[in-house]
């Protein structure tokens, strides 16, 4: 069976485990199995990559982390000179990235309820399992941290050796590494205690939801960080100031980690700096002691994950909008079903929400990158960037066919469902009502506040154009039964196709722009769009159905 | 010597009593049919004996040893098939079974040879190196059963062990259980399928609302309670006799 370097290193230190009465061979075996399973898990940061059997996904994700670490932290290290300011920033970023990663990718490890049933029914001391879990996560976190800070460590060593001499540079780097290990320890403890807290006061379902949203945030942040890399230099220049310690700094961990640099490398003996330095050492250790005391409770709280929530009192929903926009009873049924699926399916949210989050931010990113000027806001046409809201439409219409419980589709074949094309339309409408339109309305409000009420006719035009664009996407990607395929089937080659189709949206936006060049042309344009939208929704969706039938016959 | 001895066992979850003063002695070679309605406390009893649930009052001794003392060695002689068995299913059958074997302290080579042989006898030898998440329900169940037997246990806790198995395999497992009993192994068998329990067990324990309401062979239970089948005895003792009425009501609801 596969062996791992970590295990070989641990072998050298087995005497430590023996000293604490931990059965080392069993510990080693549990870790080995866990490591093997890690290589078969697809981390969130790898994303939608096509699944290939026997590929070490963990290793792939390490490269992604190295890349992320290089671009987010090395520029800062080059720009900022003051050690404490620099390190405070670095640890701020590092803490954030690590916390997100642990929660996003390693929640399954911490929250694996299988461990108890499989391992503790065997002659294994529970202590061994707790130690195994800790080492398991620590190894993972350590490898990720290593990838993240690898380039940075080198940059720090080179920079400070060059500026202050090699001994200084070396000591500087060593302090950095020591603090990073402390941080790692602290992150694991913090996450566990966080989960313990949530499990104590909330239900297991709530915890799963919270994890889900953190995973989504994580994906959005990675995507955005790629976007703003180019601007990193200007930003950090603004931020290079001298820190005066205020009371709230004592609550901000990155400041603790920055303080030892001021203490040791500048010989600053102010009380505030010494306090912060002490906090750096004491708090992780205290947290670790609390952790060892409470880990037993943790395993027991985990049982809650499998418990069902207390039933909430049923609230009868009116489905007012649903009745308004669906034509047949079948379509209404499917609309309601799709709406509930979109609301509850975590994996769908994980795949689609990040893109939706991006499409919310896109209008702003492009607006600012194209040299947005507040002074010219009253005459600017920058609000047309709102078209980017619908940028993800092709992708979402494509994703609607996937579900975790794709096998449950059999109910549509075992029941006398006449027309599955009603289902396709209904799913599309449910998506528009639940996700796209709320996003668009929110953005419209923000833009109206920024640009003034003069843009409202344009907003109406954009809204109508998006409706037409939706029909186009549906005609290209819509030939499927919603929620009927496993997520693994989502292919990687699609983004290019999505991009090409979004070009259609670009053309429509161009036409709109041309219209704005002539005052008052916008009103007949809206009228035209209303007519087209009406026809598109009336004919565009139905025509497709006949094609479906033909395809099925072929 | 008693294999299992439970004295005054009680257990509460959030102040709801789950087990109420259970007393039980089990001898080597007994096949115990452990039955009761849903939520009666069956699986809680088994989980307590396996050390998965703590916080009970009373005394539980297995192989003559009080399990609350924290020594886990008694589990070396126990095999467990849970009703819903979690598996590390991204592993292959070989990886999983050798792992479980080594938790019992067996060497990889021994387990490997044994597992290979057992998979062959259960007729799934060609999936030995495939990941468990690709298995059908029956294949998974076979892996679960094999994993509970690798270390030649003296005491078996089986909870619906036949679910998902085809009729032929069911016959094999039933036969195996009586062979185990002849060898002096003790079997704790939980199931909702009364016909099977009636046939294979030589002692039946019925638990209802956290209490033992019947304990004895099928023959003695038949004499005590009116009923010729275990199903009837079960209904009688759990105070359930409305099945005809409920069925009629269901029908009328369906017909509207």
């Amino acid at each position: 069976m596969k062996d791992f370097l970590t295990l070989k290193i641990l072998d050298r230190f087995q005497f430590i485990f023996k000293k604490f009465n931990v059965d080392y061979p069993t510990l080693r075996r549990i870790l080995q199995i866990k490591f093997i399973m890690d290589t078969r898990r697809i981390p969130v940061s790898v994303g939608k990559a096509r699944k290939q059997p026997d590929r070490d996904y963990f290793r792939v994700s390490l490269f992604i982390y190295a890349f992320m670490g290089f671009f987010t932290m090395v520029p800062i290290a080059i720009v900022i000179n003051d050690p404490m300011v620099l390190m405070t920033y670095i640890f701020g970023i590092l803490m954030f990235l690590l916390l997100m990663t642990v929660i996003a990718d390693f929640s399954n490890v911490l929250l694996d309820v299988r461990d108890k049933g499989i391992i503790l029914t065997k002659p294994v001391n529970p202590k061994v399992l707790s130690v195994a879990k800790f080492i398991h996560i620590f190894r993972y976190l350590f490898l990720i941290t290593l990838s993240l800070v690898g380039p940075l460590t080198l940059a720090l060593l080179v920079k400070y050796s060059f500026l202050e001499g090699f001994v200084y540079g070396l000591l500087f780097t060593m302090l950095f590494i020591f603090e990073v290990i402390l941080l790692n320890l602290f992150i694991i403890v913090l996450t566990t205690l966080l989960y313990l807290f949530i499990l104590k006061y909330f239900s297991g379902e709530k915890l799963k939801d919270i994890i889900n949203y953190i995973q989504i945030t994580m994906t959005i942040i990675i995507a955005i960080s790629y976007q703003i890399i180019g601007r990193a230099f200007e930003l950090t220049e603004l931020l290079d100031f001298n820190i005066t310690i205020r009371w709230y700094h004592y609550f901000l961990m990155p400041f603790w980690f920055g303080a030892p640099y001021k203490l040791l490398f500048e010989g600053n003996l102010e009380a505030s700096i010494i306090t912060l330095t002490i906090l750096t050492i004491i708090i992780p250790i205290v947290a670790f002691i609390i952790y060892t005391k409470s880990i037993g409770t943790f395993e027991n709280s985990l049982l809650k994950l499998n418990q069902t929530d207390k039933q909430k009192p049923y609230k009868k929903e009116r489905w007012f909008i649903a009745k308004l926009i669906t034509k047949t009873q079948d379509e209404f049924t499917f609309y309601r079903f799709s709406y509930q699926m979109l609301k509850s399916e975590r994996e769908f949210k994980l795949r689609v929400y990040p893109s939706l989050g991006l499409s919310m931010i896109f209008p702003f990113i492009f607006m600012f990158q194209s040299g947005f000027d507040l002074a010219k806001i009253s005459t600017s046409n920058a609000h047309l960037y709102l078209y980017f809201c619908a940028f993800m439409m092709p992708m979402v219409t494509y994703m609607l066919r996937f579900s975790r419980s794709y096998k449950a589709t059999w109910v549509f074949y075992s029941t006398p469902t006449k027309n599955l094309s009603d289902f396709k339309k209904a799913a599309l409408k449910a998506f528009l009502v639940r996700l796209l339109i709320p996003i668009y309305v929110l953005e419209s409000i923000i833009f109206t506040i920024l640009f003034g009420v003069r843009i409202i006719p344009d907003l109406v035009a954009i809204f109508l154009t998006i409706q037409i664009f939706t029909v186009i996407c549906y005609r290209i990607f819509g030939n499927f039964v919603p929620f009927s395929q496993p997520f693994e089937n989502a292919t990687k080659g699609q983004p290019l196709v999505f991009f090409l189709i979004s070009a259609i949206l670009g053309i429509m936006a161009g036409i709109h722009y041309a219209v704005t060049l002539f005052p008052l042309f916008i009103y007949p344009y809206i009228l035209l769009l209303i007519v087209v939208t009406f026809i598109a929704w009336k004919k565009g969706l139905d025509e497709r159905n006949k094609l479906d039938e033909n395809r099925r016959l072929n | 010597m008693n294999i299992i001895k439970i004295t005054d066992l009680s257990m509460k979850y959030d102040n709801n009593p789950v087990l109420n003063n259970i007393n039980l002695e089990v001898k080597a070679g007994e096949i115990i049919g452990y039955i009761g309605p849903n939520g009666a406390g069956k699986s809680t009893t088994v989980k307590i004996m396996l050390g998965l649930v703590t916080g009970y009052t009373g005394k539980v001794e297995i192989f003559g040893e009080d399990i609350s003392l924290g020594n886990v060695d008694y589990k070396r002689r126990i095999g467990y098939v849970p009703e819903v068995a979690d598996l590390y299913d991204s592993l292959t059958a070989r990886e999983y079974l050798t792992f479980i074997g080594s938790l019992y302290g067996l060497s990889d080579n021994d387990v490997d040879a044994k597992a290979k042989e057992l998979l062959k006898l259960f007729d799934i030898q060609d999936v030995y190196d495939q990941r468990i998440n690709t298995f059908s329900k029956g294949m998974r169940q076979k892996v679960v059963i094999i994993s509970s037997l690798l270390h030649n246990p003296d005491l078996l806790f089986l909870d619906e062990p036949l679910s998902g198995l085809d009729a032929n395999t069911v016959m094999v497992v039933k036969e195996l259980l009586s062979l185990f009993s002849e060898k002096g192994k003790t079997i704790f068998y939980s199931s909702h399928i009364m016909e099977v329990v009636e046939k294979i067990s030589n002692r039946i324990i019925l638990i209802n609302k956290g209490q033992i309401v019947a304990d004895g062979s099928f023959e003695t239970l038949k004499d005590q309670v009116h009923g010729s089948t275990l199903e009837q005895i079960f209904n009688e003792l759990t105070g359930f006799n409305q099945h005809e009425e409920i069925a009629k009501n269901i029908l009328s609801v369906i017909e509207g």
Side-chain angles (χ1 to χ4, degrees):
Chain A
M1 215 181 273
K2 220 173 141 183
D3 214 346
F4 293 85
L5 183 64
T6 317
L7 295 176
K8 285 179 190 151
I9 296 169
L10 278 179
D11 285 344
R12 310 250 162 168
F13 296 97
Q14 34 181 308
F15 65 90
I16 300 176
F17 298 106
K18 279 179 188 139
K19 201 168 171 188
F20 286 98
N21 267 331
V22 173
D23 176 16
Y24 183 71
T26 310
L27 176 73
R28 190 182 200 284
R29 200 70 171 86
I30 294 173
L31 286 172
Q32 187 187 25
I33 282 297
K34 294 281 181 184
F35 293 169
I36 290 176
M37 290 197 288
D38 281 351
T39 63
R40 294 176 188 171
R41 224 158 33 84
I42 302 180
V44 172
S45 56
V46 175
K48 293 188 283 282
R50 190 201 289 264
K51 230 188 203 172
Q52 283 168 350
D54 293 322
R55 186 149 170 221
D56 190 339
Y57 285 102
F58 184 55
R59 199 161 292 174
V60 177
S61 72
L62 286 182
F63 281 107
I64 296 174
Y65 283 113
F67 183 78
M68 254 169 68
F70 183 81
F71 280 106
T72 49
M73 292 184 288
V74 172
I76 297 177
I78 295 170
V79 174
I80 302 179
N81 281 328
D82 181 82
M84 180 167 171
V85 175
L86 170 62
M87 284 335 228
T88 305
Y89 276 122
I90 295 287
F91 276 98
I93 296 171
L94 202 56
M95 225 183 122
F96 179 76
L97 287 178
L98 288 177
L99 208 56
M100 282 298 186
T101 319
V102 170
I103 292 174
D105 272 349
F106 252 56
S107 301
N108 337 27
V109 174
L110 265 173
L111 303 173
D112 199 336
V113 279
R114 295 177 304 179
D115 288 345
K116 198 165 182 176
I118 296 177
I119 293 175
L120 292 188
T121 53
K122 314 295 181 292
V124 174
N125 196 312
K127 198 159 89 181
V128 178
L129 181 60
S130 300
V131 175
K133 260 190 174 169
F134 186 81
I135 296 178
H136 182 194
I137 300 169
F138 192 81
R139 165 194 186 248
Y140 168 84
L141 204 56
F142 187 75
L143 290 177
I144 288 178
T145 317
L146 217 60
S147 319
L148 272 176
V149 304
L152 173 70
T153 316
L154 212 66
L156 288 177
L157 183 64
V158 172
K159 179 180 175 182
Y160 285 96
S161 302
F162 182 72
L163 287 178
E164 313 272 350
F166 181 68
V167 180
Y168 185 97
L170 192 69
L171 288 174
F172 194 95
T173 321
M174 276 167 61
L175 178 61
F176 176 65
I177 292 169
F178 172 72
E179 286 196 0
V180 163
I181 293 172
L182 267 186
L183 181 68
N184 269 341
L185 200 75
F186 186 71
I187 297 269
I188 300 174
V189 172
L190 197 68
T191 330
T192 315
L193 294 178
L194 179 76
Y195 284 170
L196 195 65
F197 177 79
I198 298 171
L199 279 173
K200 194 163 171 128
Y201 295 102
F202 300 99
S203 65
E205 283 301 298
K206 194 106 214 151
L207 180 64
K208 285 181 202 157
D209 277 339
I210 293 173
I211 293 169
N212 191 229
Y213 282 110
I214 290 174
Q215 286 172 326
I216 291 162
T217 322
M218 166 90 178
T219 326
I220 295 178
I221 283 164
I222 293 175
I224 296 176
S225 65
Y226 291 139
Q227 303 288 333
I228 58 172
I229 284 163
R231 314 178 67 85
F233 283 92
E234 298 151 44
L235 278 177
T236 47
E237 270 167 16
L238 291 173
L239 298 170
D240 200 357
F241 54 86
N242 240 326
I243 299 175
T244 0
I245 304 296
R246 299 188 197 285
W247 62 270
Y248 55 84
H249 288 151
Y250 294 105
F251 296 96
L252 299 172
M253 277 206 74
F255 282 92
W256 308 350
F257 286 102
Y261 287 90
K262 207 161 190 84
L263 181 75
L264 297 175
F265 291 95
E266 290 178 13
N268 187 322
L269 292 175
E270 280 169 43
S272 58
I273 297 293
I274 293 174
T275 316
L276 286 171
T277 308
I278 291 171
L279 283 175
T280 316
I281 314 264
I282 296 292
I283 297 291
I285 291 173
V286 169
F288 188 72
I289 291 169
I290 297 172
Y291 170 86
T292 49
K293 296 265 185 270
S294 58
I295 191 73
T297 336
F298 186 67
E299 290 293 326
N300 283 331
S301 313
L302 281 187
L303 291 176
K304 225 176 158 180
L305 279 179
N306 284 347
Q307 281 169 19
T308 41
D309 277 4
K310 270 204 194 100
Q311 194 167 310
K312 282 188 204 127
Y314 176 69
K315 260 187 270 158
K316 196 168 167 60
E317 283 181 71
R318 296 282 187 84
W319 298 104
F320 182 70
I321 297 170
K323 282 178 189 144
L324 206 68
I325 61 171
T326 55
K327 273 179 283 183
T328 61
Q329 180 59 39
D330 267 9
E331 200 188 341
F332 172 73
T333 311
F334 283 127
Y335 175 92
R336 198 173 52 186
F337 169 71
S338 308
Y339 193 90
Q340 285 157 343
M341 285 293 278
L342 292 177
K343 202 166 139 188
S344 61
E345 184 153 45
R346 295 198 180 95
E347 189 141 0
F348 181 83
K349 287 185 193 166
L350 181 60
R351 305 262 177 161
V352 171
Y353 279 23
S355 311
L356 287 176
L358 278 185
S359 63
M360 277 184 84
I361 298 157
F362 267 152
F364 297 101
I365 290 180
F366 285 101
M367 201 162 81
F368 286 110
Q369 277 191 343
S370 63
F372 177 69
D373 191 351
L374 263 175
K376 291 181 192 154
I377 198 159
S378 56
T379 54
S380 162
N381 267 330
H383 58 279
L384 291 187
Y385 283 114
L386 259 183
Y387 273 104
F388 280 107
C389 258
F391 199 62
M392 290 299 168
M393 208 55 218
M395 185 265 190
V396 178
T397 37
Y398 173 70
M399 288 308 287
L400 273 177
R401 74 186 68 180
F402 299 111
S403 167
R404 202 181 131 89
S405 34
Y406 64 97
K407 283 180 182 159
T409 321
W410 63 266
V411 294
F412 303 119
Y413 298 108
S414 68
T415 49
T417 310
K418 283 186 293 296
N419 200 348
L420 281 178
S421 62
D422 271 353
F423 189 6
K424 302 170 196 175
K425 266 191 279 178
L428 194 67
K429 287 178 183 172
F431 165 72
L432 282 179
V433 173
R434 174 158 169 81
L435 297 168
L436 190 79
I437 294 177
I439 291 177
Y440 183 75
V441 170
L442 180 73
E443 301 252 303
S444 297
I445 293 170
I446 298 172
F447 271 67
T448 312
I449 294 167
L450 278 175
F451 289 87
V453 287
R454 70 176 177 94
I455 65 162
I456 287 178
D458 288 320
L459 294 180
V460 174
I462 296 173
F463 180 78
L464 291 167
T465 312
I466 290 176
Q467 301 311 308
I468 299 167
F469 183 58
T470 304
V471 176
I472 295 173
C473 293
Y474 173 82
R475 292 191 56 133
I476 295 165
F477 292 110
N479 194 21
F480 58 86
V481 179
F483 312 113
S484 66
Q485 293 177 28
F487 280 109
E488 288 77 30
N489 285 2
T491 47
K492 219 192 163 194
Q494 296 290 346
L496 190 68
V497 183
F498 297 151
F499 190 73
L500 287 174
I501 290 161
S502 298
I504 298 173
L505 190 66
I507 295 168
M508 291 163 113
I511 297 171
H512 186 165
Y513 179 71
V515 168
T516 58
L517 297 178
F518 306 95
L520 295 182
F521 264 44
I522 188 74
Y523 296 102
Y525 183 60
I526 289 175
L527 214 62
L528 177 71
L529 284 175
I530 290 175
V531 175
V532 177
T533 308
F534 188 74
I535 296 170
W537 275 86
K538 191 95 185 154
K539 302 281 176 196
L541 298 176
D542 289 338
E543 203 177 331
R544 186 79 199 171
N545 301 340
K546 284 174 202 145
L547 277 177
D548 286 354
E549 300 307 319
N550 287 337
R551 274 200 194 172
R552 204 173 288 166
L553 288 175
N554 292 339
Chain B
M1 190 193 77
N2 288 318
I3 298 293
I4 299 175
K5 186 170 184 227
I6 297 180
T7 330
D8 298 334
L9 175 66
S10 294
M11 174 81 201
K12 278 179 189 168
Y13 279 130
D14 301 331
N15 270 330
N16 300 322
V18 192
L19 294 177
N20 197 354
N21 212 25
I22 302 268
N23 285 286
L24 184 63
E25 287 181 20
V26 177
K27 302 225 160 9
E30 284 189 311
I31 302 184
I32 292 176
Y34 194 54
I35 56 176
N38 292 325
K42 292 192 307 285
S43 58
T44 305
T45 328
V46 172
K47 281 182 180 163
I48 287 175
M49 286 192 274
L50 282 160
L52 286 179
V53 171
T54 50
Y56 57 86
T57 58
K59 197 172 177 188
V60 179
E61 289 163 278
I62 292 179
F63 305 122
E65 199 182 331
D66 185 347
I67 61 164
S68 67
L69 300 177
N71 187 350
V72 293
D73 276 337
Y74 74 96
K75 296 182 194 175
R76 217 169 279 282
R77 294 165 64 193
I78 294 179
Y80 177 42
V81 175
E83 185 185 6
V84 182
D86 282 322
L87 295 170
Y88 293 134
D89 53 10
S90 60
L91 299 176
T92 66
R94 184 198 297 265
E95 287 165 343
Y96 182 73
L97 290 172
T98 47
F99 171 61
I100 296 299
S102 59
L103 291 183
Y104 284 113
L106 307 173
S107 85
D108 277 6
N109 285 338
D110 290 354
V111 180
D112 189 42
K114 222 172 184 175
K116 210 182 277 173
E117 204 63 27
L118 288 171
L119 257 78
K120 205 169 171 183
L121 289 166
F122 276 106
D123 202 27
I124 49 168
Q125 69 272 33
D126 40 337
V127 295
Y128 194 35
D129 283 311
Q130 278 175 31
R131 291 189 193 173
I132 298 170
N133 51 24
T134 64
F135 288 14
S136 71
K137 200 178 173 212
M139 285 151 78
R140 269 178 80 101
Q141 187 65 10
K142 286 175 182 178
V143 172
V144 174
I145 290 175
I146 291 171
S147 76
S148 74
L149 300 176
L150 286 168
H151 54 299
N152 189 22
D154 297 318
L155 172 58
L156 277 163
F157 292 104
L158 308 177
D159 196 345
E160 297 289 1
L162 304 178
S163 75
L165 299 180
D166 63 53
N168 295 335
T169 318
V170 165
M171 281 171 69
V172 173
V173 174
K174 280 188 194 165
E175 188 59 35
L176 183 63
L177 294 184
S178 60
L179 287 178
F180 279 163
S181 166
E182 280 169 29
K183 289 276 180 190
K185 293 183 194 302
T186 310
I187 296 160
F188 222 80
Y189 190 98
S190 305
S191 174
H192 292 298
I193 305 165
M194 292 301 124
E195 290 85 351
V196 178
V197 178
E198 183 184 319
K199 283 213 187 77
I200 62 164
S201 15
N202 46 36
R203 179 177 165 194
I204 289 165
I205 293 171
L206 202 162
I207 177 169
N208 191 23
K209 292 175 185 153
Q211 280 175 315
I212 294 178
V213 289
D215 183 351
S217 70
F218 178 54
E219 300 306 320
T220 48
L221 291 190
K222 232 171 25 179
D223 293 341
Q224 283 169 13
V225 187
H226 310 290
S228 57
T229 64
L230 186 58
E231 196 171 41
Q232 284 168 350
I233 296 171
F234 186 93
N235 293 346
E236 183 76 32
L237 285 172
T238 53
F240 184 82
N241 47 24
Q242 314 96 316
H243 62 279
E244 285 172 358
E245 197 186 325
I246 292 177
K248 273 181 198 154
N249 286 342
I250 292 175
L251 181 68
S252 74
V253 170
I254 295 169
E255 289 180 337

